[in-house]
Every structure is written in C-alpha cells, then in structure tokens.
Amino acid sequence: MYHNKTLAELSAMLQAGEVSSVELTQYFLDRIKAKDSEINSFISVTEEQALAQAKAADERIAAGNAGALTGVPFAQKDIFCTEGVRSSCGSKMLDNFISPYDATVVSKFNTAGAVMLGKTNMDEFAMGSSNETSFYGAVKNPWDLKKVPGGSSGGSAAAVAARLAPAATGTDTGGSIRQPASLCNLTGLKPTYGRVSRYGMIAFASSLDQAGPMARTAQDCALLMNVMAGFDEKDSTSIEKEVPDYTAELNQPIKGLKIGLPKEFFGDGLDPEVAKPIQEAIALYKEMGAEIVDISLPNSALSVPVYYVVAPAECSSNLSRMDGVRFGHRCEEPKDLEDLYKRSRGEGFGEEVKRRILIGTYALSAGYYDAYYIKAQKLRRLISDDFKKAFEQVDVILGPTSPNVAFNMGEKSQDPVSMYLSDIYTIAVNLAGLPGMSVPAGFAHDMPVGLQLIGNYFEESRLLNVAHAYQQQTDWHDLCPPGFE
Ligand code: GLN
C-alpha cells in the first residue's frame, strides 16, 4: 500500500496520475489516526489544512506545473514556525503559541506544493537524545515500544519509521537528525551550517542549529534537500551559494573514493555489537572500490564537554525571549514584573531546559566567561581543524552514528551525562559546521544501527551519493518495524 512506498515512488505515482494527492493525504491521515496513539509521534495533525493543500496540489498537477514534491505528504518538526498552526517546540511555554508567520523551510515546502500532515513531537526546545523531555509526552520507538526513538527529532523519526508519513523534517544541533535516524532505521542528513535557512526555526543554539531531511532513502533525502536548501536573506548566517540538483550525482561510482575511519570513533564506549554492522559496511565499500584510510580526529573527546558549554550558553540567551510578556505561557495573576518573569518561566520550562539555562548563564557570567565560554570556543577551533586536516587526506569520513542502539525509556533520564554521551560521534560535526548523514546499516540487539558519513563543507551531494550507492547494495533501509508493515 501507499505507506510502504518511498517519497520518490509516491512522487512518480502522483505525476503519472495513479493516485491523487487528496487520496494519498487522506490515506496517511487515516493511518495517523489509527496508529499514532501507539507511538505519540505527532503534536498536531493539521487535517483540514492538509486536505486543502492536497486539493491545490492536484489542481497544479492537472495543470502541468507540478514539481517533484507537489502533492507529496510529509511531516514537519514542531520547531518550525507555521502560520496559523500551533508551533510549540515541544514545550509548555509555547503550547498556546500560534505562529503569525512561516519559517523559510515551511514556505519552501508550501511553494513546492508539498502537503504538511502535521507537526511532530520533539524534545523540549530540541534539548535531548531520547524524546523524553517533550511536554506532550515521550515518543516511542516503533521497533520496540519500550525503547526511545532518539532525539530531539524523535517524533519525525518515529512517524517515518512507522510509515505514518513518507518523510519528515528534522533539526540537528548536536545530532538530532542523525541519532534518531540511526535508532529508528532511517536515512537522515544534517547539511552544512548555513545551507538551509534557520529563519523561523525556533532557536536552540544558533551557531550549531541546522535543519535537514529524514526519510527512508538517500534518494528521498536528495529530493527534500532540493526544496529545503538555499540562500535566505532573512537568515544572516545563510550562505549565498548555488544549490545543486541533489539527485543529479546520486549514481556516481564509488571506485577510488577515499573513506577515512577515525580511530577515535571505534574505541572504548562503542558497543561491539554496533561495531559489527559498521565493519560489514566498510567491507562492502571496499568491495565497491573505495580506499579505506585510517585517520585520527585527536580532539574528538573534547566535543561533548565543549558542546555542553557552547550550546547551553547560546540557549540561555535565545530562550530569554520567552518571558511571559510577548508570547507563550504567562502565569496567573502576577504580583509584579519580576514575579511574572519568574513564575512564567518557572512554570513554562521543563527540567532539562532549566538545567541548560542555568549552565549557560553560569558559563557566560562575568567571572567565568573566560574560563568556560572562551576556552570552549578555542577548543571548538581545534576540533574543526582536525576535520580540515582529515579532509586533506580523504573524501568522506565514516563511523557509527551512535555508540549504542536505542535504550529503554527512563534508562538515562536521571543521568544527564550518560544521555549527553549518546551524541559523542555526532556533536563534533556541528561544532565544525560540516554536513553529516546517518544511513541504516543493520541491527544489533534486534534494534537498528546507523552508519555515519561526514563530508567536507557543502559536500551534501557526495554524501547522498555515497549513501545511495550503499543502499543499492543493501536493503536495511527497506525494513519496516513489525506491527507497522
Ligand atoms: N542531544 C543533543 C542535546 O541534547 C543534541 C540535540 C540536538 O541536536 N538538537 O543537546
């Protein structure tokens, strides 16, 4: 049925008139109604708007001016401001926030004629690796309902893995596209910093945040990137650089490709069962003609501590706009302005968000700024220099996305540091602003394992090509969680 088709297949069916967008949209809306209570992947389902968009898409297809994504349903992470629709970012603070405008990513999908089914669940303000910090309740992993889907784009990952939507958007500040993609058996791409506009994407850590696609295949991610990427004058860090056709280079041969294996990604801390499928993938790339090169990213171990100074520092500043005055949650009957601030923020934010605001405020305070924030910025430079050196030797870097498969709900929620370590292989990529991907590569302990590919700046096409070549030889990405076939 339709839910087993990839985005590319659905797009072809729509263009050929084999199905209408209204039929397809209704089909996925019905499936969400029937199945989402099992996994809690949506915060809002925008049924009426979706059907109206679908009707408009059908007219566009009939008139012969449709693009590849016209009429194709997808899900939008609730971090993107969406005009007229609740845009909560997974927080009680924004539970009552109906956005008055569209994020650039949202308008780009609208212009393409894609159909938004709804807004997906996420860790509060994108802080988390398990999707347990959402005000709207935890999301469950469709592969095992006792386990987490990863975070913070866990709702997007669970929705696509359970075939409730053919694709979704995610955002990745330290791993939030790649880690949930890995834990839910999806393909996800975090583009180069500046490639996709951050305008209207509710800010967590502005120097790290980047939006990207989550889907079943690299080909689908390429189709989504064609819509999402591009310069935006409304985002001052957006980069004015031509957008390639991301589907054009999917079929480049792998022969001669130099793949670097950083020794730091294969050491202590990596579950040996997770290492096995990664080693098999390396062997397969060798068979395809790639050259494997051992490399080192010597400052990798610093990436988690550096991130947990930089990201909280930026979030403490970004979240200061949620003050109960202009928008979002406001406490009942404030006594005075200070009481309004304190209680609105105290009631509106969850535990993890408060922890980060406190850490960030501390790191930025006059007495500690040099010792923490400035020090972290210097180390951040060393971490990106490691990659610069590595890319003088190799074309792409390969390793696991996450040291472990999906863990049990509640297992790490009382131990923030062990939760933070879930992103040990993904965070350095954000600190350096590089593109990274996660690709389904097999199973360990009966749960999906993701292969991470890291590219040089603006080499998204190459990453998609390297992932696509692998997906032509394997069928991990086709596997569907039992109960959602
Ligand atoms: N898990 C990381 C964190 O909690 C990364 C989150 C993200 O990429 N948004 O900050």
Side-chain angles (χ1 to χ4, degrees), residues 106-127:
V106 173
S107 11
K108 278 174 172 282
F109 275 106
N110 286 343
T111 309
V115 175
M116 187 184 85
L117 296 166
K119 309 284 300 283
T120 56
N121 206 343
M122 55 180 285
D123 276 306
E124 186 179 7
F125 287 107
M127 298 174 197

Side-chain angles (χ1 to χ4, degrees), residues 117 167 208 240 275 280 323 333 357 398 419 425 447 459:
L117 296 166
L208 301 159
E240 208 162 352
E280 285 165 20
D323 56 7
E333 297 176 33
I357 292 175
L398 182 155
M419 184 77 87
Y425 304 135
M447 294 301 285
E459 299 250 306

Side-chain angles (χ1 to χ4, degrees), residues 53-120:
Q53 284 178 338
K55 200 161 162 276
D58 282 333
E59 284 161 17
R60 221 171 123 172
I61 295 169
N65 61 0
L69 255 52
T70 308
V72 178
F74 77 106
Q76 191 79 273
K77 185 175 179 179
D78 206 25
I79 199 166
F80 293 99
C81 285
T82 311
E83 192 181 336
V85 176
R86 172 170 59 183
S87 301
S88 78
C89 218
S91 182
K92 177 178 177 185
M93 185 57 99
L94 293 178
D95 180 50
N96 63 3
F97 176 60
I98 308 288
S99 176
Y101 73 107
D102 278 333
T104 296
V105 163
V106 173
S107 11
K108 278 174 172 282
F109 275 106
N110 286 343
T111 309
V115 175
M116 187 184 85
L117 296 166
K119 309 284 300 283
T120 56

Side-chain angles (χ1 to χ4, degrees), residues 77 123 125-130 151-153 171-179 204 209 307-308 311 352 356 419-420 422-423 427 430:
K77 185 175 179 179
D123 276 306
F125 287 107
M127 298 174 197
S129 307
S130 68
S152 65
S153 313
T171 62
D172 192 312
T173 304
S176 281
I177 289 175
R178 291 161 288 158
Q179 186 254 12
F204 163 12
D209 297 342
Y307 175 89
Y308 280 99
E352 183 61 25
R356 307 245 184 145
M419 184 77 87
Y420 297 168
S422 315
D423 298 309
I427 276 180
N430 301 73

Side-chain angles (χ1 to χ4, degrees), residues 241-277:
K241 191 171 162 59
E242 207 187 319
V243 180
D245 175 355
Y246 289 103
T247 59
E249 286 175 26
L250 284 175
N251 292 309
Q252 293 292 313
I254 293 301
K255 197 167 163 34
L257 182 84
K258 287 196 178 124
I259 299 181
L261 306 182
K263 68 168 190 277
E264 293 78 8
F265 284 21
F266 292 88
D268 287 349
L270 174 62
D271 178 343
E273 292 300 310
V274 171
K276 278 187 207 164

